[in-house]
């Protein structure tokens, strides 16, 4: 039996507590700092990436940036619950707030998570993260993956791959996406929807960033 403390959570509108699992006591300060990001003032960001977890509307733009900075060192941590919390916060964060990851995490670590046997559910968030921390070699690799998906009509993780590639390549990549997915009548609806989602997210992100300048 584990002797580590149990982490309990409760929705403020619900009377009961839920155990999230056990976590070592050394993570207590980190968890307190995460909770404190709710108090950071600023405009409320609009969720822009519909992943498996619903983005929180309670945190401000600056609060989310602080929260992402706090969880980055704990992605794929040796403590399973800490790693799951860190990934969960990354996955539900509004897309523009991920830019705080630049220079804070090594792209080789992110690519290693995408290459090995991490849960597939984490791939979209890590792919988007790579768009903020990667370089030209990562963009070339993403484009190889996108081209392979294009040939097989595979829309799995396609929106995240296109989004990350656009983040790395900039506006010059938009024409490439349009010719690959909108001008080709052989594309399937899931592929077109994935490409549209990536473009829409980038458009929303640009507007949100301008609003918070």
């Amino acid at each position: 039996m584990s002797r580590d403390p149990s982490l309990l959570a409760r929705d403020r509108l619900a009377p009961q507590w839920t155990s999230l699992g056990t976590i070592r006591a050394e993570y207590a300060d980190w968890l307190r700092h995460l909770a404190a990001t709710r108090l950071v003032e600023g405009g409320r960001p609009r969720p822009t990436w519909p992943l498996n977890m619903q983005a929180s509307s309670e945190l401000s733009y600056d609060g989310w940036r602080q929260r992402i900075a706090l969880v980055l060192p704990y992605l794929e941590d040796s403590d399973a619950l800490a790693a799951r919390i860190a990934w969960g916060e990354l996955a539900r964060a509004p897309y523009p707030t991920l830019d705080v990851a630049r220079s804070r995490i090594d792209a080789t670590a992110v690519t290693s998570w995408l290459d090995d046997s991490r849960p597939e559910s984490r791939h979209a968030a890590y792919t988007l993260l790579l768009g903020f921390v990667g370089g030209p070699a990562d963009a070339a690799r993403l484009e190889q993956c996108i081209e392979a998906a294009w040939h097989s009509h595979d829309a799995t993780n396609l929106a995240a791959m296109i989004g990350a590639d656009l983040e790395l390549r900039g506006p010059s990549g938009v024409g490439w996406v349009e010719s690959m997915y909108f001008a080709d009548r052989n594309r399937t609806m899931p592929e077109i929807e994935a490409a549209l989602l990536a473009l829409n997210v980038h458009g929303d992100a640009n507007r949100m960033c301008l609003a918070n300048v």
Side-chain angles (χ1 to χ4, degrees):
M1 179 181 294
S2 173
R3 295 185 177 181
D4 292 330
S6 293
L7 178 61
L8 303 178
R10 187 187 70 176
D11 189 297
R12 60 185 179 183
L13 300 178
Q16 70 274 12
W17 290 84
T18 300
S19 175
L20 301 180
T22 59
I23 190 168
R24 298 196 297 273
E26 64 197 65
Y27 292 85
D29 284 342
W30 174 62
L31 294 169
R32 292 190 189 99
H33 287 136
L34 278 181
T37 58
R38 290 183 175 276
L39 303 178
V40 178
E41 295 182 355
R44 296 289 186 264
R46 183 165 60 87
T48 56
W49 195 273
L51 296 175
N52 293 331
M53 302 180 69
Q54 185 67 33
S56 171
S57 60
E58 295 183 359
L59 289 177
S60 67
Y61 180 84
D62 291 336
W64 265 117
R65 286 172 56 83
Q66 288 193 23
R67 180 168 286 199
I68 295 304
L70 283 169
V71 303
L72 287 174
Y74 294 89
L75 292 172
E76 301 305 318
D77 191 83
S78 60
D79 185 282
L81 182 54
R84 181 155 54 89
I85 291 171
W87 165 78
E89 295 305 308
L90 179 75
R92 71 195 190 101
Y95 178 74
T97 63
L98 298 185
D99 69 348
V100 75
R102 298 189 200 276
S103 77
R104 291 176 181 264
I105 191 168
D106 190 352
T108 58
V110 182
T111 56
S112 71
W113 300 337
L114 291 168
D115 285 341
D116 66 16
S117 56
R118 308 293 177 188
E120 188 174 340
S121 60
R122 299 187 183 184
H123 283 195
Y126 289 159
T127 300
L128 291 174
L129 182 61
L130 184 62
F132 286 95
V133 303
D138 300 297
R141 172 180 164 165
L142 280 167
E143 286 157 13
Q144 290 177 353
C145 294
I146 293 169
E147 186 171 355
W150 184 88
H151 284 293
S152 62
H153 293 278
D154 184 7
T156 305
N157 206 32
L158 181 59
M161 289 193 294
I162 294 175
D165 187 58
L166 289 172
E167 193 66 50
L168 288 166
R169 294 295 193 192
S172 63
V174 173
W176 182 72
V177 174
E178 291 176 344
S179 64
M180 289 278 284
Y181 288 97
F182 304 146
D184 185 352
R185 295 189 177 184
N186 292 320
R187 294 304 100 197
T188 64
M189 187 55 66
E191 291 175 277
I192 294 171
E193 289 175 345
L196 280 171
L197 173 58
L199 292 177
N200 286 339
V201 164
H202 275 270
D204 286 346
N206 289 336
R207 287 190 290 271
M208 184 183 296
C209 288
L210 288 174
N212 284 278
V213 170

